[in-house]
Amino acid sequence: MNYTDEDLEPDSEEELYRNPVFYEPAGKELALERADLGVPEVPDLLQQLLNMRGRVPVEKRGLVCPDCRKLRGRRASMYLVQRDGVWLASHYRKPGEKAISHESDEHMARKERVAKDSEDHGFHAEAEATTPDGRARLDVRITGDNGIILGYEPQLSDQTARSMRLREGFRRRSNVRSVWDFANPDHAGIGTVPYVRTPDLPASVIRVQKNPIEVRDGNYVVEEGHCTPGGSITRCPDKPFDPDNPIADAYCHGWHRILVPEHQSSTASDTGKPALTLTRFIVEAAGGARIPFQRDGRWGWLPADHWQRYLEANGPEEGSADTERAAVRDGDRRSMCTEDRPASDFRSEPKVRHLSRTVVLETREAAPSRPQPPQLRRDKAGYCMAGVTPCGEHARLYPGGWRCDQHRPGARAQATS
């Protein structure tokens, strides 16, 4: 049976805006945002491709997925779809067929593990579930308590920060609480979206449920106190960190209230505290015991009791509205690359190493100290030391400081009377 373009099942909205497409006759990827599709040597190429609709089978039009060929060694045909005047490429999929997967074995193992652990703790979990509006596909959709819908999203490939914000926007607009799981401590998505960071483990280890997967980052706590060597703040959050001299100028002697990752907090060295595992985190997040926050453009998670402290001290959550919700249709769709796709030149951006993830909520400067009156130094015999009061007489403490008998207040008047 020959299917027309209208009969085929298009990719989801999110997938459409991140799909690259390769044109075999020209031997290059197409730039669908350009009028000439990036192939000026073939005049009216777009019109030629559109004229094939309903006449030439999709698999013979020369449009294929470059990622399917690179990662899976397969030729996956594509066809053009229009959204709000923008031409995009979708995989060739008959009605009812499963979406094309670009996932690594480690990625699939994480999804399987979280789905099984969630089910074992009484929460319904479904892999590859779409959001109600169909704009995004969740790796694992977990139905939690009190209407919470949790989306677990392991992200093992490099992405740009802008790509992560746009992908998170699809989920937030569907009222999904995303848990993005990164293995790379320098991933651009860390702090850009609600996240956790776990070790980079092989699929065989992840699939064994009795093996704990430690959460190393993403879970924050509220701390406050004086910024002194003896205070409760481990290091001044307003001072830049020098990795070559980490204790230099580390305190401002003021007072701070901060959000700090638990592994960087003052209780991080508490060896008696059990390590937070990914299973426990997901279960508590689904149950409402861990809540995502956004502050100063930084995302993370807070335990429920710390969330209450955060609200009491700082009022309603900042950024509850998606202030960065730029329409994807007006953006660069090529930044929306699929999970585990290799980062190409146009998807890459300079990396910035994350040395500190602390978020400052409030800072109070140290109160200025009162100036002390100058005091004269004395030797062991009680005489003024040379260079300060060189008279060599005994010194006494007067309201204005230490003075020798010869220079004490009123001494000159007594001497002349």
Side-chain angles (χ1 to χ4, degrees):
M1 178 177 180
N2 292 326
Y3 291 92
T4 65
D5 295 57
E6 289 74 18
D7 295 328
L8 299 175
E9 187 78 25
D11 292 331
S12 69
E13 293 289 296
E14 180 186 11
E15 291 167 326
L16 281 177
Y17 282 91
R18 65 189 185 187
N19 283 336
V21 57
F22 186 85
Y23 185 53
E24 290 179 317
K28 62 171 63 175
E29 288 190 24
L30 298 185
L32 296 180
E33 70 279 2
R34 293 175 51 176
D36 61 3
L37 302 187
V39 190
E41 60 271 22
V42 183
D44 300 323
L45 176 57
L46 176 59
Q47 192 59 47
Q48 292 182 34
L49 294 172
L50 296 181
N51 290 340
M52 296 181 186
R53 305 179 73 177
R55 300 170 53 194
V56 180
V58 174
E59 59 269 16
K60 295 184 179 181
R61 299 179 191 176
L63 299 179
V64 298
C65 175
D67 291 329
C68 289
R69 181 179 57 184
K70 185 182 298 183
L71 295 175
R72 297 290 179 261
R74 58 178 293 188
R75 184 182 184 275
S77 299
M78 305 188 80
Y79 63 103
L80 298 183
V81 177
Q82 192 178 44
R83 291 291 186 270
D84 293 349
V86 179
W87 287 104
L88 306 169
S90 176
H91 290 87
Y92 175 84
R93 215 162 23 104
K94 299 175 184 179
E97 283 187 341
K98 187 178 180 181
I100 299 293
S101 175
H102 298 273
E103 299 171 347
S104 65
D105 194 30
E106 289 76 16
H107 180 90
M108 290 187 289
R110 287 173 183 265
K111 293 197 306 181
E112 295 168 7
R113 171 68 180 271
V114 167
K116 289 180 181 178
D117 288 346
S118 299
E119 292 280 357
D120 290 347
H121 285 81
F123 296 106
H124 176 69
E126 181 182 359
E128 301 300 329
T130 58
T131 55
D133 56 12
R135 290 181 174 271
R137 175 170 49 87
L138 307 180
D139 282 330
V140 181
R141 172 184 169 136
I142 303 165
T143 303
D145 294 334
N146 300 319
I148 294 176
I149 300 297
L150 209 63
Y152 173 68
E153 308 287 344
Q155 183 64 54
L156 305 182
S157 63
D158 288 336
Q159 304 281 301
T160 65
R162 180 178 179 277
S163 168
M164 297 304 304
R165 291 190 190 97
L166 291 174
R167 294 176 65 186
E168 168 64 13
F170 284 109
R171 290 153 178 79
R172 294 183 65 190
R173 287 190 286 277
S174 296
N175 295 318
V176 173
R177 289 187 180 183
S178 301
V179 181
W180 295 89
D181 184 2
F182 302 109
N184 179 6
D186 296 322
H187 197 288
I190 287 181
T192 304
V193 292
Y195 76 101
V196 294
R197 183 171 63 84
T198 56
D200 188 5
L201 301 172
S204 58
V205 174
I206 296 172
R207 285 192 169 99
V208 179
Q209 284 186 276
K210 67 179 181 180
N211 290 336
I213 302 175
E214 182 183 357
V215 172
R216 295 180 173 176
D217 195 359
N219 182 51
Y220 284 66
V221 293
V222 178
E223 288 199 337
E224 58 185 62
H226 293 285
C227 187
T228 61
S232 57
I233 301 297
T234 305
R235 178 179 170 80
C236 181
D238 292 327
K239 292 182 177 293
F241 177 76
D242 182 3
D244 298 326
N245 193 6
I247 64 173
D249 198 23
Y251 303 98
C252 69
H253 299 278
W255 182 93
H256 304 288
R257 179 183 289 120
I258 58 177
L259 300 179
V260 61
E262 190 171 18
H263 72 281
Q264 295 178 351
S265 67
S266 59
T267 61
S269 60
D270 185 1
T271 56
K273 189 175 182 180
L276 177 62
T277 64
L278 180 61
T279 298
R280 177 182 151 204
F281 182 92
I282 293 294
V283 169
E284 292 183 356
R290 296 187 184 272
I291 302 172
F293 73 88
Q294 183 187 34
R295 182 79 182 193
D296 296 335
R298 176 64 58 86
W299 278 98
W301 291 81
L302 283 167
D305 55 340
H306 286 257
W307 170 255
Q308 291 301 323
R309 290 174 57 192
Y310 169 70
L311 290 182
E312 291 168 2
N314 299 277
E317 177 189 11
E318 176 187 307
S320 57
D322 192 354
T323 56
E324 299 186 47
R325 190 183 297 172
V328 180
R329 293 180 176 84
D330 297 332
D332 178 9
R333 68 173 187 84
R334 289 180 175 268
S335 70
M336 302 283 290
C337 47
T338 303
E339 169 60 46
D340 290 340
R341 287 179 178 171
S344 58
D345 293 338
F346 56 77
R347 291 176 186 146
S348 62
E349 64 183 12
K351 290 184 177 180
V352 179
R353 181 169 179 81
H354 301 279
L355 293 174
S356 176
R357 318 213 195 278
T358 301
V359 179
V360 181
L361 300 177
E362 183 181 358
T363 293
R364 302 174 194 165
E365 296 182 358
S369 57
R370 296 182 179 179
Q372 297 294 326
Q375 295 185 358
L376 304 183
R377 295 184 299 161
R378 296 184 298 165
D379 59 18
K380 294 182 179 180
Y383 288 92
C384 299
M385 296 181 61
V388 180
T389 302
C391 62
E393 297 292 333
H394 283 282
R396 297 180 183 178
L397 181 60
Y398 291 90
W402 290 99
R403 296 289 187 273
C404 64
D405 290 339
Q406 181 177 343
H407 296 89
R408 74 181 187 278
R412 179 171 300 178
Q414 294 178 8
T416 58
S417 60

